[in-house]
């Protein structure tokens, strides 16, 4: 790593952000993680430790800070409920660009409003990773797939990600990239959380409910100009590891703040915006909210 390289600031060193920073550091990027005081202290003292069946087990001594370096290329990896507190921190650093890998599809307008004049792109990352009690990261899925829209092709962050072991795709619009993940993330998260079981079992627990949910998700996609079918979405979900759990499921089970609103709530807002009826989504979200 050399100081002549652009600074890549990964904001939000949780399981996903920490894994991204770990990859970038291994790839030789000039990366720093930006987080809360406790996270910064832990990473400074112990580094980022990742255990992965694909990439092995290793600790990377990634620099950590509570502030975003001025002019950095930012990768935004916070959960949606932390976005409001994070945006002023990013804006005041006057970043060269911001690439979001947040869940959901509703944050794009918020980013554009608060980061006016700054190049912003919305990408996605598909992975199953969890952070353990001691701050280590367990990478569980047999893949790490990062998608970046064509508008971010020249971002320093995208170019640095291309030099990592993660699978990177650069193509499409922001909406296409976001929905390419959200189409399967939303039903996976809602079903695993609703049934509190693995993806494979959740999909087969109640076939009629599963089909109704997928039908409503596909209707939301199509209303946003993204082509899909229930059959194609079923195949996508079936291709994922049957043993997968979702972060929403884990957060709800542990009583932590969750992304239920940015996943289930966002689907309901999309449906309302386009005049769609989504009784299955409403039932599942209401049940999870009541818990």
């Amino acid at each position: 790593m050399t100081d002549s390289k652009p600074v890549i600031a990964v904001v939000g060193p949780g399981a996903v952000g920490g894994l991204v920073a770990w990859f970038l550091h291994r790839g030789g990027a000039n990366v720093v993680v930006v987080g809360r005081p406790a996270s910064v202290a832990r990473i400074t003292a112990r580094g980022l430790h990742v255990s992965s069946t694909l990439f092995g087990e290793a600790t990377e001594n990634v620099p950590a800070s509570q502030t975003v370096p001025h002019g950095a290329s930012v990768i935004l990896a916070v959960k949606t409920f932390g976005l409001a507190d994070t945006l002023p921190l990013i804006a005041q650093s006057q970043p060269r660009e911001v690439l979001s890998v947040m869940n959901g599809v509703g944050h794009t307008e918020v980013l554009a409003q608060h980061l006016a004049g700054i190049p912003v792109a919305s990408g996605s990352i598909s992975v199953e990773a969890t952070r353990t009690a001691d701050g280590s990261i367990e990478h569980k899925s047999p893949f790490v797939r990062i998608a970046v829209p064509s508008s971010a092709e020249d971002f320093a962050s995208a170019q640095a990600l291309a030099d990592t072991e993660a699978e990177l795709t650069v193509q499409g619009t922001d909406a296409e990239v976001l929905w390419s993940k959200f189409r399967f993330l939303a039903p996976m998260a809602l079903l695993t959380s609703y049934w509190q079981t693995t993806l494979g079992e959740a999909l087969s627990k109640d076939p009629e409910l599963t089909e109704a949910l997928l039908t409503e998700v596909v209707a939301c996609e199509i209303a946003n100009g993204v082509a899909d079918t229930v059959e194609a979405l079923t195949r996508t979900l079936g291709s994922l590891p049957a043993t997968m759990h979702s972060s929403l499921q884990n957060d709800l089970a542990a009583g932590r703040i969750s992304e239920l609103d940015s996943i289930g709530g966002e689907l309901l807002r999309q449906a309302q915006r386009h005049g769609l009826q989504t009784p299955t989504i409403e039932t599942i979200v209401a049940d999870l909210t009541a818990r």
Side-chain angles (χ1 to χ4, degrees), residues 89-205:
L89 187 70
I90 294 174
Q92 70 185 19
S93 74
Q94 298 181 330
R96 61 188 288 172
E97 64 222 4
V98 176
L99 172 64
S100 166
V101 291
M102 294 170 56
N103 284 332
V105 295
H107 55 273
T108 53
E109 294 178 2
V110 177
L111 294 177
Q113 291 170 1
H114 288 80
L115 300 174
I118 298 169
V120 176
S122 294
S124 69
I125 179 168
S126 300
V127 66
E128 183 182 9
T130 60
R131 191 171 63 181
T132 62
D134 67 357
S136 298
I137 297 169
E138 293 182 356
H139 168 224
K140 299 181 178 182
S141 57
F143 53 78
V144 179
R145 298 170 183 152
I146 301 175
V148 173
S150 298
S151 60
E153 182 176 9
D154 294 329
F155 281 18
S157 54
Q159 294 174 354
L161 287 168
D163 292 330
T164 71
E165 299 157 288
E167 178 184 339
L168 179 69
T169 301
V170 182
Q171 64 179 16
T173 64
D174 287 43
E176 289 169 338
V177 169
L178 289 178
W179 277 100
S180 68
K181 176 183 178 180
F182 196 56
R183 64 188 284 271
F184 69 83
L185 168 69
M188 178 184 76
L190 293 175
L191 286 172
T192 56
S193 301
Y194 185 71
W195 295 116
Q196 276 300 304
T197 187
T198 59
L199 175 60
E201 291 186 12
L203 287 170
S204 60
K205 237 357 172 168

Side-chain angles (χ1 to χ4, degrees), residues 81 196 247-258 288 291:
F81 51 77
Q196 276 300 304
S247 59
L248 175 64
Q249 171 188 6
N250 295 334
D251 287 341
L252 289 172
R256 295 188 292 261
I257 299 174
S258 77
L288 295 177
R291 297 184 198 180

